[in-house]
Amino acid sequence: MKKRTMKLTNLVRPSIAALKPYSSARDEYQGSAASMVFLDANENPFETKVNRYPDPQQQQLKGVLTEKRGVTNAQILLGNGSDEVLDLLFRAFCEPSQDNIITLPPTYGMYSVLAGINDVENREVLLTPEFQPDIEAILNAQDARSKLLFICSPNNPTGNSISEEKIVALLEGFNGLVVVDEAYIDFAETPSWVARLHEYDNLVVTQTLSKAYGMAGIRLGMCYANPEVISILNKIKPPYNVNVLTQEYALRYLQNEENFDNRKNLILNEKELLSKKLLQVGFISKIYSSNANFILVKVDDANRRYTELLNEGVVVRNRSTQPLCHDTLRITVGSPDENKKLLTAMKTIS
Ligand SMILES: *Cc1c(COP(=O)(O)O)cnc(C)c1O
């Protein structure tokens, strides 16, 4: 069943491989029996619901996720948003000023920012005009110091999913970790790559509660990968990176599947409606098909239309500076009421 094995010792930074992690008080003793007296973490004893440190391993939350995603505890790392998870990948695998990563613009802007913060070269290989990876160019761009390849699927800001066949080719041909960023996977019809972790040692999948789950405010990101990758990330994560409130809130709302499905379907229906209506707007020349909760549109003059919409009280995202995205605006699908306001504004400025 295994299609790609990989020796992680060749990928991880030597200083991280040698690192002895910080052991927090709650790592050493994790019981919660009511009769125990906890004098080990210099906490304040008076009950406020948040006076105790959070579980550093988020066992309860991982319990729910293992069932939902069909993975084991050892294949999950949780972070303060998936942005933290992505940063941990850099810090574990990329030696500053020596290693490099590959990204596929137009794509999510944080990969490049994180590369800059971590002083890691970002080799950009443009997507094709159909917004799919150029396999040959990507494999030609890699060298012995290429540690991470970021594939965003569905891709932000273009909205399309990356083809399965292309991702397989990259998992087989890339010599570092292939990070599939599935921030929008819940809106797509294609299955998550989490189901294929057992096939590829070098596959890392990130997800988030910020989009379809409607919890951008609590900051919870997930990383799914083989246990060896997860244990390295665990070693370097801040001990209490997912706070008590986030863990409680996520537990409560992750289990409410009905609410999740209803809202997701409402957004998907609105996306269809909005796409049809946007087609009738004179200055919009193209609507890109989207597997996410946003729509990329091509307009006559993006800077002008962005400002005009702003003046009508509607904020969209101007993606014109991204390659292959000249004169495009990215529009999030809002509530029915918000979408009506958008369409009214579009008419006013037409
Ligand atoms: C929104 C977004 C994220 C950020 O997720 P957080 O969990 O909120 O940090 C990650 N990747 C992509 C592609 C996104 O669009």
Side-chain angles (χ1 to χ4, degrees):
M1 283 284 263
K2 185 134 300 191
K3 297 187 175 137
R4 183 83 193 259
T5 54
M6 193 169 278
K7 250 196 137 113
L8 275 179
T9 41
N10 300 337
L11 280 185
V12 68
R13 293 170 63 198
S15 57
I16 300 299
L19 182 79
K20 195 174 169 299
Y22 174 74
S23 174
S24 68
R26 281 306 112 81
D27 272 325
E28 285 171 21
Y29 182 79
Q30 291 193 11
S32 60
S35 60
M36 298 295 279
V37 176
F38 287 102
L39 305 176
D40 57 341
N42 299 345
E43 295 153 333
N44 185 316
F46 300 108
E47 185 58 55
T48 61
K49 295 210 168 88
V50 290
N51 56 315
R52 298 294 176 184
Y53 279 106
D55 171 6
Q57 282 306 321
Q58 310 102 14
Q59 298 295 345
Q60 267 191 299
L61 196 46
K62 283 182 187 165
V64 176
L65 290 168
T66 51
E67 275 183 33
K68 272 188 181 295
R69 301 296 186 208
V71 292
T72 64
N73 250 19
Q75 291 174 300
I76 311 180
L77 174 110
L78 301 179
N80 183 20
S82 53
D83 284 347
E84 182 185 40
V85 168
L86 297 171
D87 186 52
L88 289 174
L89 286 165
F90 275 91
R91 293 204 279 155
F93 294 100
C94 299
E95 200 59 43
S97 79
Q98 294 182 30
D99 289 338
N100 64 76
I101 61 151
I102 298 181
T103 62
L104 314 176
T107 194
Y108 184 48
M110 273 308 279
Y111 313 137
S112 148
V113 171
L114 290 169
I117 292 170
N118 288 287
D119 191 15
V120 170
E121 180 196 351
N122 176 17
R123 299 188 172 177
E124 300 191 324
V125 181
L126 288 197
L127 293 174
T128 64
E130 297 75 41
F131 300 140
Q132 291 294 327
D134 180 340
I135 305 297
E136 203 187 327
I138 294 166
L139 297 183
N140 279 336
Q142 77 170 329
D143 63 16
R145 306 228 63 134
S146 301
K147 298 299 179 72
L148 306 171
L149 165 64
F150 289 93
I151 302 174
C152 187
S153 181
N155 188 39
N156 178 4
T158 58
N160 63 295
S161 295
I162 304 300
S163 93
E164 179 189 348
E165 174 203 352
K166 304 273 186 202
I167 295 181
V168 166
L170 292 169
L171 282 164
E172 285 171 4
F174 185 67
N175 293 323
L177 299 179
V178 175
V179 183
V180 182
D181 183 340
E182 293 189 334
Y184 300 96
I185 190 67
D186 302 294
F187 295 109
E189 276 152 31
T190 46
S192 165
W193 280 87
V194 167
R196 301 187 63 174
L197 283 175
H198 61 282
E199 293 176 43
Y200 302 96
D201 281 352
N202 59 335
L203 172 60
V204 176
V205 181
T206 63
Q207 295 180 351
T208 176
L209 295 192
S210 296
K211 309 285 160 62
Y213 281 91
M215 291 184 259
I218 71 169
R219 313 303 301 131
L220 189 79
M222 294 86 93
C223 176
Y224 301 96
N226 87 58
E228 232 188 315
V229 171
I230 296 299
S231 89
I232 291 164
L233 298 178
N234 254 323
K235 229 163 82 156
I236 67 167
K237 81 173 184 68
Y240 303 117
N241 63 330
V242 181
N243 72 66
V244 168
L245 301 173
T246 296
Q247 291 191 41
E248 278 185 15
Y249 211 93
L251 261 177
R252 190 154 16 118
Y253 287 94
L254 263 175
Q255 283 160 313
N256 190 343
E257 302 240 355
E258 198 183 335
N259 193 30
F260 168 73
D261 282 334
N262 288 345
R263 291 199 169 164
K264 183 183 80 177
N265 291 332
L266 189 67
I267 290 170
L268 290 175
N269 286 342
E270 279 294 306
K271 180 174 75 174
E272 290 313 310
L273 281 175
L274 196 55
S275 301
K276 278 189 200 124
K277 294 267 170 64
L278 288 173
L279 259 180
Q280 296 160 8
V281 175
F283 62 80
I284 293 178
S285 57
K286 180 163 184 176
I287 299 191
Y288 296 85
S289 83
S290 164
N291 298 111
N293 65 331
F294 55 83
I295 305 171
L296 189 73
V297 298
K298 197 168 199 69
V299 298
D300 52 355
D301 180 344
N303 290 338
R304 172 182 158 201
R305 299 305 180 181
Y306 172 82
T307 311
E308 287 174 346
L309 285 171
L310 210 54
N311 292 337
E312 295 299 313
V314 178
V315 191
V316 297
R317 194 99 154 113
N318 186 351
R319 295 286 74 191
S320 285
T321 53
Q322 290 260 331
L324 306 176
C325 291
H326 189 61
D327 277 331
T328 60
L329 299 175
R330 191 194 69 195
I331 303 169
T332 307
V333 179
S335 66
D337 190 44
E338 290 173 324
N339 300 333
K340 269 191 206 109
K341 285 186 177 143
L342 167 77
L343 290 166
T344 306
M346 290 269 186
K347 266 189 204 125
T348 310
I349 66 174
S350 282

